[in-house]
Amino acid sequence: MSTRSRAVLLSAVAAALALTLSACGKGGTSGGGGNTNFVTGNNGIDTVPSGKRAAAPELSGKTIDGKTLDVADYKGQVVVINVWGSWCSPCREEAQYFAKVSKQYEGKGVQFVGINTRDTSTTPAVNFEKEHGISYPSLYDPTGRLMLRFKKGTLNPQLIPSTLVIDRHGKVASRALEALDDTTLLKMLKPVMAEK
């Protein structure tokens, strides 16, 4: 094998490994440097002050149970977006906490919405939600097109799982790039709920 062929092969292997690692991560690092306007706290949650937040992109489509959903319909409420896949073990770890907190805040000005990604059919996604007691809707996004609608340099879902909290004005207030428990989820949610 020539040196050039070996270099091409090593580059391809490195790229595949990076993609595999980011496909279902236990956590990520991002910084608030440059002009991003967000700061990473020591709990791994990125936040943006209310006056500097970017609007969430249009997130709409079919849910895993075949209904139509548009996240813009929830404007005026705090929206928690959780990007997940049934194949993702950290997603399975955090599902119980999302089920618990979503039920705890039902009817209190908070709406949970899942974005199911990289599942090749809705069957495993529907089974995942039943198994974990998830009662809120999830958009079906097998190719990740909804994730790509978030602008670069904003709080965007870069890993699976990712969680975003959208404020009552439809702007992204905070993000976590790791599996969350109920305590960490509430650390993201409560400050945004307290805003007027």
Side-chain angles (χ1 to χ4, degrees), residues 7-184:
V8 169
L9 178 63
L10 286 174
S11 294
V13 169
L17 182 60
L19 183 60
T20 301
L21 291 175
S22 71
C24 190
K26 186 68 176 147
T29 5
S30 60
N35 293 320
T36 59
N37 292 323
F38 59 87
V39 177
T40 303
N42 60 7
N43 54 5
I45 298 171
D46 298 315
T47 59
V48 178
S50 62
K52 300 188 178 207
R53 295 175 184 161
E58 189 262 331
L59 299 170
S60 63
K62 292 284 184 192
T63 61
I64 62 171
D65 56 359
K67 296 178 182 161
T68 302
L69 175 72
D70 187 344
V71 172
D73 292 343
Y74 300 123
K75 200 165 185 181
Q77 296 184 62
V78 174
V79 179
V80 178
I81 303 283
N82 179 243
V83 182
W84 63 278
S86 67
W87 44 267
C88 166
S89 60
C91 300
R92 288 191 289 276
E93 288 174 27
E94 73 176 4
Q96 62 181 314
Y97 303 113
F98 278 79
K100 174 184 171 185
V101 175
S102 68
K103 287 181 178 92
Q104 184 180 346
Y105 284 88
E106 195 171 345
K108 296 180 180 175
V110 178
Q111 176 63 50
F112 279 69
V113 175
I115 297 178
N116 170 256
T117 191
R118 299 191 192 161
D119 274 319
T120 54
S121 82
T122 57
T123 304
V126 169
N127 291 338
F128 178 96
E129 287 196 338
K130 282 181 186 167
E131 180 183 337
H132 296 286
I134 304 288
S135 56
Y136 54 83
S138 285
L139 289 162
Y140 182 52
D141 186 30
T143 60
R145 66 179 176 74
L146 293 176
M147 292 172 67
L148 294 174
R149 290 184 181 172
F150 288 83
K151 291 180 183 168
K152 186 177 179 185
T154 66
L155 294 183
N156 54 61
Q158 299 171 357
L159 297 173
I160 300 163
S162 287
T163 302
L164 304 165
V165 177
I166 299 173
D167 68 20
R168 290 180 181 91
H169 306 288
K171 298 186 175 190
V172 184
S174 59
R175 172 191 68 186
L177 298 175
E178 61 189 14
L180 303 177
D181 60 18
D182 50 347
T183 304
T184 315

